[in-house]
Amino acid sequence: MGERGVNMIQAIGKKLLTTVLTLLAASFLVFATAEFSPGNVARKTLGPFASQQSVDILYERLQLNDPLPIRYARWLGVLLGLKADPLQDPVLKLDFKDPRGDQYFGNFGYSTLYKAPVNDVIWGRLANTGLLAGLAFAIIVPLSLSLGILAGMREGGPLDRSISIFGIVTTSIPEFASGVFLVAVFVVWLGWLPGTSPLAGSTGWPVWTQLVLPVTVLVLYDSGYLIRMVRGSMAEVMAKPYIRTAILKGLPFREVVTRHAMRNAMIAPFTVILLQINFLISGVVVTELVFAYPGFGRMILDASLFGDIALIEAATLIALVVAITTQFLGDLGYALLNPQIRLS
Amino acid sequence: MSNDKKIPHIDKLSRQLADKTMDRREFVRYAALLGMAAPAAYALAGSITGEPFAPPASAQTTLPKGGILRIGNRVKEIKSPHSYSWGGYDSNMSRQVLEYLTYTDIDGVTKPYLCESWTVSDDLKTWTFKIRKGIKWRKGSDFTAEHAVWNLKRVLDPAVGSSMIGLMKGYLLNEKTGADGKATTEIWAPNAIEIVDPLTFRINCKVPQVAVPEHLFHYPMAIMHPSENGVFGVGSDGTGAFELTEFELGKKAVFKKNPNYWGGAVALDGMEHIDTGDDPTAAIAALASKQLHGLVFADPIQYEALKAQPHLAFYDVATAETAVMRMRPDAKPFDNPKVRKALRLASDPAATVKIALQGLGLGGEHHHCSPAHPDYAKIAPFPRDVAGAKKLLAEAGFPNGVDGEIFCPTDNPWIQTMVEASVEQWKEAGIRIKITLMPGAQYWDVWTKVPFGATIWYHRPLSIMCLGLAYRTGVPWNESGYSNKEFDEILTVAEGTVDLAKRKELVAKLEKIMQDDGPIVQPIFRSTFTFMDKKVKGFTMHPTNYLFGWKIGLEA
């Protein structure tokens, strides 16, 4: 027992280390991609109406001529709070003020699109999407687990057929189509729900009503896929010899399912379910666009279209952290669910 | 009408009205520009023509009180009003807080606003503006001539980068070489803009200029409190009817009424601008569920869907809003004027209006002057001539046709359609242009640099304003880098010519230069339109999409 505990801690330590290394490598790639996008950083920062002269001055001050690894190291230094943010240097007269100062841990720089420190922009958006994604996740998981298990219990039965058809249909309708369809029915025809979700309380509709349609679109799109995953895994387990033995031994079917089948059937879908968190955080762009939802996905889209380098870098890093964390949790949970697998 | 005698050129204008070389609307516009109070101008017009000509009701009829008006608008950056570049988005936010010295109404008549009257010398060079007594900033101080002059000087400072320089360069600025050896500008004389007394200021022009009061309503000319150093935001002081209380980029802006507004009681309790993003269907859904009361402007794509909703009212107005496909004369192959003209000859405006605007607009004549402009001159038609285009290309050294690439922003679908239609038309003349689409935000990074690009231009009340902003040598918004000395000279003379018949002769010359030598292909003008809930009272569609919260009421 003691030995296993030590192994476990070592394994987790190793995992954490690879996580940090992955983050570093990925952030370098993000940085390099953003810096190589068309147009130079100085021009992007100053906007289309700035004179070439001021662009040149900024270019020089930011030392944009330096090789990429050096610029990356400098950027990392600012991010970690080891270095002052050069953009905030009053000499540049950029009016980039950050109330937190020019040197602190987690300094993502200044968003040229929103004309504000990235930290002032990004967290509110992330919270909005977190709300949307959290609600959707809270419905998607129990819904797809229960429907998937029900379908997989008796493969080929009428219940299985109808649930599978439902899953295939909802997954194959893209979000923009189901969004428009739901708006046509519940907003234009029935008038029960608001058509957009700006999350402003004053628009005549309480904020919770504005969440109904976007959450529904996400649930419809995503749960069909998960249902089929769970169903497949469940059906496979149900065909295993030990289940047959249990049934033949005369255990009630209900008990066979709950006691013996479910835990084993959850192992494969578990990772897939955790992956949905990543999808829900950064893959909700379409839903956010259709419902004018002020979220993280729409912000990333706007930032990429605008070429707001600091914001893209920060958003991608955050999405990365979310992805790596869920994967880390996934590995841990997998080990707990499946005693055959050792972390080491 | 005690000050009638002081108004120069009124006799000339009256004669033109009497012999019908000028219509009544034009008479009123010019009389008002030159300083005659608009009601007096309307009355005088009536007495000359013998027909009653009632001014549009300007008095605020009893508007319903209370309520928060919710408007769909893009919530973009609004920090620097003097260097705005959108008008519809940004200035419609600050407009509720910051006011203007003059006011040009939907008929193009320029009326008093922060200035209650103005007079001009006979030579149209000395303009004296009187500020209305009793105007207070929301934070309590008095509005004075000193504030007005501070704003005027600020917009003319090249470091600010205001497009006002384009409008005023001809009569208020001299070119000079900066310390860095690059060309820049400076105000032409120390007393060009002077304070006469606490409520009077004067503009001394280098050359005659008739449209000074109209320029003062151009949207970057918002009057800000000097203590805020040109930065606008939540809580900024203003003379206007509202205060900005919340602002979240890309999401919403919230305004609360100013209870001590100098202009009297404001009907609305407040206003909200809500951003519904890039997807035009989101705005349709928001109007359908009554989350919004209206839009600043609607897109042709939204027209059918919004028209079908019974609780919405439709508003439209013919404008000089357009998109130009402009070529940089310093980039190959557009450096040859024959090539530029060939592109114009090969395009088919009538067909493009149908395709890109579903007929909601007018054909353009490639000179950016619109029939909606009073100083528009009708010149010889410029019909499509594919054979002529081919001939010009051959003369320019391209007997086998010519290749190129046009950059087109995707933020206005009708512009993209216009470009696609034109590209097809050009093919017939052997002009092979590749379309490169760009998101709007990316395009506005390079709009003055791409060799060939499609750019939206909003309405301006006079054609000489459009020409001055976009084609005069060296001004910030001259996106093509076009430079033609003869054009600049005629334009400056036209800006100082009050006699409309004479002015039109000059504009005709400018139009001809644009068609023969100019940098643009411009096949369409669009009507702008919007939809508002029928509960919204007092709204009228301004040709420049301006929204005036203090004129609007909301039925419960």
Side-chain angles (χ1 to χ4, degrees):
Chain A
M1 189 63 201
E3 201 185 326
R4 197 188 162 192
V6 171
N7 280 343
M8 188 86 164
I9 288 165
Q10 271 180 350
I12 292 178
K14 251 191 218 163
K15 266 263 158 229
L16 275 177
L17 189 68
T18 41
T19 305
V20 171
L21 288 177
T22 316
L23 263 179
L24 269 178
S27 69
F28 178 74
L29 283 179
V30 168
F31 180 79
T33 322
E35 299 275 307
F36 280 124
S37 71
N40 89 49
V41 178
R43 164 62 69 187
K44 292 253 156 80
T45 308
L46 293 173
F49 298 108
S51 69
Q52 190 55 42
Q53 191 198 2
S54 26
V55 173
D56 293 344
I57 294 174
L58 184 64
Y59 192 87
E60 201 180 303
R61 283 271 156 74
L62 294 179
Q63 296 163 282
L64 294 176
N65 260 330
D66 288 345
L68 190 67
I70 294 183
R71 278 187 287 145
Y72 171 70
R74 210 180 285 138
W75 174 77
L76 201 64
V78 172
L79 173 63
L80 297 176
L82 307 171
K83 226 183 139 313
D85 183 359
L87 281 175
Q88 287 185 45
D89 192 337
V91 182
L92 292 175
K93 289 192 186 146
L94 286 177
D95 202 24
F96 284 3
K97 280 186 217 109
D98 190 335
R100 301 166 194 83
D102 63 354
Q103 191 174 352
Y104 61 92
F105 182 79
N107 183 357
F108 284 114
Y110 204 88
S111 157
T112 46
L113 169 63
Y114 292 91
K115 306 279 188 292
V118 168
N119 278 307
D120 284 352
V121 178
I122 207 161
W123 303 111
R125 295 299 182 117
L126 190 64
N128 286 347
T129 293
L131 176 69
L132 182 62
L135 282 171
F137 195 70
I139 299 172
I140 289 169
V141 172
L143 182 78
S144 39
L145 283 182
S146 47
L147 289 181
I149 288 167
L150 279 176
M153 251 161 39
R154 293 186 205 275
E155 200 184 355
L159 191 61
D160 178 26
R161 289 282 145 94
S162 31
I163 291 174
S164 294
I165 289 172
F166 168 79
I168 291 167
V169 169
T170 54
T171 310
S172 50
I173 299 174
E175 294 139 296
F176 62 85
S178 56
V180 169
F181 175 74
L182 289 174
V183 165
V185 174
F186 293 100
V187 177
V188 178
W189 182 37
L190 297 171
W192 290 352
L193 289 168
T196 57
S197 313
L199 297 189
S202 60
T203 55
W205 297 87
V207 170
W208 72 266
T209 59
Q210 298 174 19
L211 287 162
V212 176
L213 287 180
V215 167
T216 310
V217 166
L218 286 176
V219 168
L220 283 179
Y221 183 69
D222 202 34
S223 50
Y225 169 67
L226 272 189
I227 288 170
R228 285 189 295 151
M229 285 297 301
V230 175
R231 176 200 165 273
S233 177
M234 186 72 188
E236 198 185 316
V237 170
M238 290 300 284
K240 288 262 161 73
Y242 70 90
I243 298 286
R244 219 177 314 138
T245 315
I247 293 174
L248 289 176
K249 266 165 69 183
L251 270 181
F253 187 67
R254 192 196 172 93
E255 211 159 301
V256 174
V257 170
T258 51
R259 278 238 181 124
H260 301 274
M262 261 165 58
R263 177 173 165 143
N264 286 316
M266 281 315 98
I267 295 172
F270 180 74
T271 3
V272 180
I273 288 174
L274 279 174
L275 280 178
Q276 301 314 302
I277 296 178
N278 301 328
F279 160 75
L280 286 171
I281 292 293
S282 43
V284 292
V285 184
V286 177
T287 311
E288 291 186 351
L289 267 184
V290 171
F291 293 101
Y293 190 92
F296 195 69
R298 217 177 106 195
M299 184 202 70
I300 296 180
L301 181 72
D302 284 345
S304 335
L305 294 180
F306 187 84
D308 186 342
I309 291 176
L311 192 56
I312 298 171
E313 286 167 348
T316 325
L317 263 191
I318 289 171
L320 264 172
V321 170
V322 172
I324 291 177
T325 317
T326 50
Q327 203 170 353
F328 184 59
L329 290 177
D331 289 351
L332 274 181
Y334 199 71
L336 292 177
L337 272 174
N338 188 349
Q340 287 173 330
I341 293 177
R342 289 284 164 268
L343 271 169
S344 48
Chain B
M1 265 60 12
S2 57
N3 65 344
D4 280 3
K5 276 183 238 71
K6 279 187 260 159
I7 296 173
H9 306 288
I10 272 298
D11 294 346
K12 212 187 297 171
L13 289 174
S14 303
R15 240 178 292 126
Q16 289 184 44
L17 178 64
D19 63 22
K20 297 203 163 62
T21 51
M22 175 184 261
D23 71 13
R24 288 177 304 180
R25 194 173 81 116
E26 283 330 296
F27 174 83
V28 172
R29 282 173 48 88
Y30 280 94
L33 269 186
L34 294 169
M36 183 178 255
Y42 279 110
L44 182 56
S47 73
I48 292 170
T49 58
E51 298 160 60
F53 183 38
S58 59
Q60 299 202 7
T61 45
T62 45
L63 289 172
K65 299 273 181 286
I68 309 277
L69 181 74
R70 295 186 304 269
I71 292 292
N73 193 8
R74 299 309 301 273
V75 181
K76 299 204 178 211
E77 168 58 30
I78 54 169
K79 237 183 221 171
S80 175
H82 287 164
S83 57
Y84 279 168
S85 48
W86 288 111
Y89 307 132
D90 40 25
S91 93
N92 272 332
M93 306 260 170
S94 52
R95 181 179 308 283
Q96 317 306 330
V97 180
L98 306 173
E99 298 188 292
Y100 293 80
L101 294 166
T102 59
Y103 174 87
T104 304
D105 70 10
I106 56 170
D107 295 316
V109 177
T110 301
K111 294 175 171 173
Y113 196 178
L114 292 176
C115 287
E116 67 175 0
S117 64
W118 50 87
T119 52
V120 60
S121 62
D122 261 343
D123 63 359
L124 298 175
K125 281 182 169 177
T126 310
W127 289 84
T128 309
F129 289 87
K130 267 238 155 310
I131 285 168
R132 195 187 296 266
K133 263 192 212 92
I135 294 180
K136 285 210 178 288
W137 294 89
R138 185 175 50 80
K139 293 182 182 167
S141 53
D142 289 322
F143 175 61
T144 65
E146 202 182 316
H147 299 149
V149 167
W150 180 86
N151 279 276
L152 278 163
K153 288 192 170 159
R154 188 169 187 274
V155 297
L156 294 176
D157 177 354
V160 172
S162 170
S163 62
M164 289 304 293
I165 287 182
L167 280 181
M168 296 185 155
K169 187 176 176 188
Y171 62 96
L172 278 180
L173 298 175
N174 278 342
E175 293 190 15
K176 70 158 189 179
T177 312
D180 54 357
K182 287 184 183 153
T184 177
T185 55
E186 63 182 355
I187 294 177
W188 79 282
N191 71 336
I193 302 165
E194 55 176 347
I195 300 170
V196 178
D197 66 49
L199 288 178
T200 313
F201 67 93
R202 186 169 289 147
I203 295 179
N204 296 300
C205 309
K206 190 162 67 159
V207 291
Q209 170 61 255
V210 67
V212 175
E214 218 146 39
H215 292 172
L216 297 181
F217 190 58
H218 188 43
Y219 61 82
M221 198 54 250
I223 298 298
M224 310 181 70
H225 197 285
S227 69
E228 287 169 358
N229 262 320
V231 180
F232 180 69
V234 169
S236 276
D237 206 356
T239 57
F242 296 87
E243 175 192 357
L244 179 64
T245 56
E246 263 178 72
F247 182 83
E248 210 177 318
L249 220 121
K251 196 175 166 189
K252 65 173 176 176
V254 181
F255 300 86
K256 202 180 81 187
K257 85 164 159 190
N258 171 7
N260 303 317
Y261 181 48
W262 65 266
V266 182
L268 293 170
D269 287 338
M271 240 181 142
E272 282 184 15
H273 289 238
I274 294 164
D275 195 325
T276 53
D278 275 328
D279 184 350
T281 56
I284 299 173
L287 280 163
S289 55
K290 301 183 184 170
Q291 286 174 295
L292 295 178
H293 293 113
L295 303 174
V296 167
F297 39 81
D299 189 273
I301 301 188
Q302 296 166 324
Y303 178 75
E304 291 297 333
L306 293 176
K307 192 97 193 164
Q309 298 186 22
H311 72 286
L312 298 178
F314 175 72
Y315 298 88
D316 75 332
V317 61
T319 70
E321 181 170 332
T322 183
V324 303
M325 292 175 276
R326 103 286 175 286
M327 301 159 265
R328 283 196 72 94
D330 55 6
K332 284 196 181 319
F334 311 115
D335 52 345
N336 190 324
K338 287 183 176 165
V339 173
R340 302 198 293 269
K341 190 171 181 184
L343 265 80
R344 287 188 278 270
L345 282 171
S347 57
D348 184 349
T352 312
V353 171
K354 276 195 209 119
I355 297 166
L357 300 175
Q358 290 154 34
L360 289 164
L362 275 177
E365 294 162 337
H366 311 297
H367 48 53
H368 208 145
C369 305
S370 151
H373 285 138
D375 52 358
Y376 164 83
K378 197 150 184 57
I379 56 173
F382 189 85
R384 183 169 199 233
D385 179 2
V386 176
K390 281 185 182 158
K391 194 165 152 266
L392 275 179
L393 283 180
E395 284 172 23
F398 300 100
N400 302 318
V402 69
D403 295 275
E405 179 181 16
I406 185 165
F407 294 86
C408 175
T410 53
D411 45 6
N412 283 288
W414 59 273
I415 295 180
Q416 202 177 319
T417 320
M418 174 193 81
V419 170
E420 283 160 3
S422 303
V423 164
E424 285 305 312
Q425 294 158 8
W426 291 331
K427 276 184 189 160
E428 286 179 51
I431 301 164
R432 298 168 296 264
I433 303 288
K434 177 179 165 270
I435 305 176
T436 300
L437 296 177
M438 274 185 168
Q442 201 183 344
Y443 181 77
W444 296 111
D445 243 13
V446 293
W447 72 293
T448 55
K449 295 208 180 60
V450 290
F452 193 10
T455 304
I456 187 168
W457 281 87
Y458 289 113
H459 174 86
R460 304 287 179 316
L462 295 173
S463 67
I464 50 170
M465 282 172 77
C466 294
L467 298 178
L469 274 171
Y471 310 102
R472 175 178 258 135
T473 304
V475 296
W477 281 6
N478 184 341
E479 52 170 330
S480 59
Y482 184 65
S483 173
N484 181 323
K485 200 156 174 276
E486 187 195 359
F487 179 89
D488 291 348
E489 281 165 9
I490 300 175
L491 180 60
T492 304
V493 178
E495 285 171 341
T497 305
V498 72
D499 183 322
L500 191 65
K502 277 204 188 116
R503 167 112 67 96
K504 283 189 173 188
E505 278 169 31
L506 295 165
V507 170
K509 284 186 192 166
L510 296 171
E511 291 175 352
K512 194 80 179 55
I513 294 177
M514 289 294 281
Q515 285 181 345
D516 288 338
D517 180 65
I520 61 168
V521 179
Q522 188 244 329
I524 58 179
F525 284 108
R526 72 172 284 219
S527 302
T528 65
F529 60 89
T530 194
F531 287 86
M532 291 271 170
D533 197 305
K534 286 178 179 158
K535 285 181 185 165
V536 176
K537 301 292 172 193
F539 176 78
T540 40
M541 184 82 205
H542 195 276
T544 333
N545 302 308
Y546 293 161
L547 189 70
F548 309 102
W550 45 275
K551 288 187 147 192
I552 297 176
L554 193 61
E555 252 170 27

